[in-house]
C-alpha cells in the first residue's frame, strides 16, 4: 500500500459486533444475519486496545511479510510439490514405465486423463469441505494422503494399478487450487492477489526445472534394486508426506485462529482485506448465492477461459517430453530442456502478474499472453520435423508456455469479482471443474496414430485459443458495463480501470457475506 487511499484507520471500522455491517438486520442474539458468527466474535474482541491504530505503509509491509512466512510459504511449497508429483509421470514416461507396466495405445494418455476425471468428480465436495472445515488441517491431511499414494505408484505393475493410484492422486491433489484461491482472498488484498496467485502458480514452471534435474540425476543410477522410475515415485512421495505433517503445526486456519500472531496483528490482518468486499469466511451454504453463481454470465465467462486455457495445457503437459524426444533430442537432453521450459513458464507468469498490477489491466494482459501460444502452435502445424528445424520448433514450443500467465490472471479475475462465500464456492468449483475437463480432454486430443507431429491436436488448439480470445473480450466489456451501472446507481465516479479512487466507499458490508451483485460498495476489476 503506497498511497493515501490504502491507509485504513481502525477508528473508522466497526468496534463491536453490532457495528459490523451497520444498517443491516440482526437476529435476537445480536449477531448479524449475514456475517459469520466466528468472524463477528473475533472483531468484538478487545477492539478498544487498538482504537486509533493506522495501517500505514510500514505496518502493512510488516503484516504482509508475517503472512508470507506462515501462509504464502506453505502455498508455494505445496503447489510445487503438487505439480511435481502430478507431473512425475511425464518424466517417468521416458524412464521405462511404459514398457515395465506394458502400456499400449492410448493407455499412457489415460494416466493423465484419469487424474482430471477424479478432480472433476471431487471438485465441488472439496470446495464445500474447504468452506466447512479448518482449511489448514484439511489441506495437511490431503497432502499426506497424496504423498502416500504417490509412493505406492512404485509398486504398480500394470495399467490397472496405475489408473487406481493416479485417480486417488487426483482426488487428494484437487484441494490445492481452490484452497489457495480461498486463502488468497482471506489474507491478501485484491491488488496483491494476482502476484500471490502468480507466486504459487509459478511452481508449474519451477517444478519443470527441479523435476528435470531430479530426473536427470536419477537417470544416472544404475544397478539399483528399484527401477529409476520407481525410485522417483518413492522419493517424492515420502518427501510430500513429511511436508504435509509439518503443515499441521505451522499454518494457521484463518486470522481468527492464528495464535502465532498477537490479537492486535490478527485484527489488523483482517482489517487489511476489508476493501476486498469478499469477506474472510462464512460456513453457511446459501442457496440464493448458489443460484446467482449459476446464472451469472461473469462466472461462466471465467469458467470458459479456464477450460480453453487448460485443454492445450493438459496435452502439452503429458506429451511435452515425448514431443521433444521426437525432435531428435536424447533422453538426458530432454530432461535438461525441461529446465529451460520451466524458466520460460515462470518468466511469462511473473511478467504478466507484474504488468497487470502496474497497469491495472488483467484481461488485456491475458489477451496479449494468449498470442504467443497461437504463434507457437502455428509453427508446429506448418514446419516439418527435421534435424535442421528442431531448434526452431523448440523455440516455438517455448512460445506456447504462456498458459500459466493466462491461468493466473483468470484466477485473479475470479477472486476479485466474486462476492459471497457460497457464490465463491460455486464459482471456484465451476472454474476448476472446467480446468479439470480441459486437462482431461487435452491428452486425448493427441492420438497415437497422429504421432509424432500431432497435427490434428495443434489445429484443435488454434480453435480453442480463438474461443479464449473472444471470451476475454466479452468479459472485459461486461465488467466495465457492470461498474458503470453501479457508479450510476451511487452517482459516483471511478478511474478508467474500475478500481476505487474517489468514491469514498464505506466498506460497511465487507464482512456481511453479500454477493458482488448485492453489495453496493462492490466494484469489479478487470
Amino acid at each position: 500500500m503506497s498511497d493515501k487511499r490504502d491507509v485504513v484507520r481502525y477508528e473508522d471500522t466497526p468496534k463491536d459486533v453490532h457495528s459490523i455491517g451497520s444498517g443491516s438486520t440482526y437476529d435476537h442474539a445480536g449477531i448479524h444475519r449475514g456475517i459469520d458468527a466466528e468472524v463477528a466474535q473475533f472483531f468484538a474482541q478487545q477492539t478498544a486496545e487498538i482504537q486509533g491504530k493506522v495501517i500505514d505503509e510500514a505496518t502493512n509491509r510488516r503484516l504482509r511479510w508475517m503472512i508470507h512466512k506462515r501462509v504464502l510459504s506453505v502455498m508455494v511449497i505445496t503447489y510445487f510439490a503438487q505439480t511435481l508429483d502430478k507431473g512425475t509421470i511425464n518424466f517417468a514416461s521416458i524412464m521405462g514405465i511404459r514398457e515395465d507396466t506394458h502400456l499400449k495405445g492410448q493407455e499412457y494418455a489415460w494416466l493423465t486423463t484419469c487424474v482430471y476425471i477424479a478432480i472433476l468428480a471431487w471438485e465441488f465436495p472439496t470446495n464445500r469441505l474447504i468452506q466447512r472445515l479448518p482449511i489448514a488441517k484439511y489441506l495437511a491431511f490431503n497432502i499426506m494422503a497424496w504423498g502416500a499414494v504417490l509412493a505406492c505408484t512404485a509398486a504398480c505393475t500394470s495399467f490397472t494399478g496405475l489408473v487406481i493410484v493416479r485417480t486417488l492422486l487426483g482426488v487428494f491433489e484437487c484441494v490445492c487450487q481452490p484452497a489457495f484461491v480461498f486463502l488468497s482472498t482471506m489474507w491478501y488484498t485484491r491488488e496483491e492477489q494476482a502476484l500471490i496467485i502468480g507466486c504459487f502458480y509459478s511452481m508449474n514452471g519451477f517444478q519443470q526445472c527441479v523435476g528435470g534435474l531430479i530426473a536427470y540425476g536419477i537417470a544416472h543410477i544404475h544397478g539399483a534394486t528399484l527401477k529409476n522410475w520407481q525410485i522417483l515415485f518413492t522419493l517424492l512421495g515420502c518427501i510430500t508426506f513429511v511436508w504435509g505433517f509439518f503443515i499441521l503445526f505451522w499454518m494457521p486456519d484463518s486470522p481468527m485462529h492464528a495464535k502465532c500472531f498477537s490479537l492486535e496483528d490478527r485484527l489488523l490482518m483482517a482489517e487489511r482485506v476489508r476493501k476486498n468486499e469478499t469477506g474472510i469466511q462464512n460456513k453457511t451454504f446459501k442457496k440464493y448465492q448458489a443460484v446467482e453463481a449459476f446464472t451469472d454470465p461473469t462466472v461462466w465467462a471465467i469458467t470458459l477461459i479456464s477450460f480453453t486455457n487448460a485443454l492445450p495445457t493438459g496435452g502439452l503437459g503429458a506429451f511435452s517430453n515425448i514431443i521433444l524426444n521426437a525432435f531428435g533430442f536424447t533422453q538426458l537432453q530432454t530432461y535438461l530442456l525441461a529446465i529451460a521450459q520451466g524458466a520460460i513458464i515462470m518468466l511469462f507468469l511473473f511478467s504478466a502478474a507484474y504488468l497487470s498490477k502496474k497497469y491495472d489491466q488483467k484481461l488485456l494482459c491475458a489477451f496479449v499472453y494468449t498470442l504467443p501460444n497461437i504463434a507457437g502452435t502455428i509453427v508446429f502445424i506448418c514446419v516439418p520435423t527435421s534435424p535442421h528445424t528442431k531448434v526452431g520448433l523448440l523455440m516455438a514450443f517455448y512460445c506456447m508456455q504462456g498458459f500459466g500467465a493466462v491461468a493466473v490472471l483468470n484466477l485473479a479475475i475470479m477472486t476479485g469479482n466474486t462476492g459471497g462465500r457460497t457464490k465463491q464456492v460455486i464459482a471456484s468449483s465451476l472454474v476448476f471443474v472446467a480446468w479439470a475437463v480441459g486437462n482431461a480432454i487435452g491428452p486425448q486430443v493427441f492420438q497415437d496414430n497422429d504421432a509424432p507431429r500431432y497435427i490434428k491436436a495443434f489445429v484443435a488448439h488454434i480453435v480453442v485459443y480463438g474461443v479464449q480470445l473472444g471470451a476475454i473480450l466479452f468479459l472485459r466489456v461486461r465488467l466495465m458495463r457492470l461498474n458503470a451501472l453501479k457508479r450510476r446507481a451511487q452517482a459516483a465516479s471511478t478511474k478508467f480501470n474500475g478500481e476505487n479512487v474517489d468514491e469514498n466507499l464505506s466498506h460497511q458490508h465487507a464482512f456481511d457475506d453479500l454477493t458482488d451483485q448485492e453489495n453496493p460498495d462492490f466494484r469489479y476489476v478487470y
Side-chain angles (χ1 to χ4, degrees), residues 339-349 398-399 401:
I339 299 173
Q341 178 189 353
I344 290 169
I345 291 173
M346 294 176 71
L347 177 64
F348 272 123
L349 198 149
Y398 287 155
C399 284
Q401 307 307 306

Side-chain angles (χ1 to χ4, degrees), residues 95 210-222 228 332 335-336:
M95 266 186 186
V210 177
L213 288 173
I214 293 173
Y216 181 81
I218 291 177
H220 281 81
I221 299 175
H222 302 288
N228 287 347
L332 295 180
Y335 287 142
L336 294 176

Side-chain angles (χ1 to χ4, degrees), residues 31-54:
I31 301 295
H32 181 271
R33 290 188 189 278
I35 193 168
D36 183 84
E38 194 172 57
V39 175
Q41 292 168 7
F42 171 66
F43 276 109
Q45 294 181 79
Q46 304 177 25
T47 53
E49 295 183 8
I50 58 173
Q51 187 171 0
K53 281 280 186 180
V54 175

